[in-house]
Amino acid sequence: MSTTETTKQRELLTFKLSDQEYALDIMTVREIRGWTRATPMPLAPSFMPGVINLRGTVLPIMDLAERLGLPKCDQDDRSVIVVVQNEGSTIGLLVDAVSDIVTLDPKDMQTPPESAVQNGRNVIAAITLLDNRMIRVLDLPYVIALPESDAA
């Protein structure tokens, strides 16, 4: 059983943030939509520009670049919101552009360096090279979890 799991290919959605490429497991992606101006929420962390109405549901939006310590995403007509779901939570991730869907073998993914670890966790689950492009696969549960200091 574990042999099958380790050889099972993964489909990833790749996207751009600040001229860098990142990816998420396609199974966490619910939809991809164009930019919609978010309504700001008081006392929200700076990487949470607000909420939008998604077919009658209030959807929080996270500026993924700012969350990862990169320059903020431009919030314009070229921006994209990737709606993801993880453990019952749904959130929109603001990214610069969606690239494509790729299929990779787990053996093609490498463990990120220890220097990228924060609080015992790493926002990067794996790194892979694809057509001379370095793609960072995000650890979605860790990325979308609000920092403890913001929860108080």
Side-chain angles (χ1 to χ4, degrees), residues 30-121:
R30 295 296 159 245
E31 69 180 91
I32 300 166
R33 54 181 294 126
W35 168 242
T36 301
R37 182 159 305 283
T39 301
M41 297 299 291
L43 303 177
S46 62
F47 57 83
M48 298 296 291
V51 296
I52 65 169
N53 178 352
L54 181 66
R55 293 182 296 283
T57 301
V58 176
L59 180 71
I61 302 298
M62 176 184 286
D63 183 328
L64 188 55
E66 186 174 357
R67 174 71 171 108
L68 298 177
L70 302 169
K72 289 175 102 172
C73 282
D74 291 330
Q75 297 177 16
D76 58 30
D77 292 339
R78 290 176 288 158
S79 301
V80 178
I81 296 173
V82 178
V83 180
V84 296
Q85 188 166 24
N86 181 69
E87 297 178 8
S89 296
T90 304
I91 190 167
L93 303 176
L94 177 62
V95 302
D96 293 330
V98 170
S99 302
D100 54 8
I101 296 173
V102 297
T103 303
L104 296 173
D105 286 325
K107 64 181 168 82
D108 294 330
M109 293 187 236
Q110 299 176 27
T111 304
E114 288 296 317
S115 61
V117 174
Q118 178 184 18
N119 297 330
R121 296 282 310 265

Side-chain angles (χ1 to χ4, degrees), residues 129-149:
L129 289 173
L130 184 66
D131 301 327
N132 293 323
R133 301 173 356 229
M134 185 172 292
I135 299 173
R136 299 150 198 91
V137 181
L138 293 175
D139 179 353
L140 185 62
Y142 185 62
V143 169
I144 64 174
L146 292 178
E148 295 297 323
S149 61

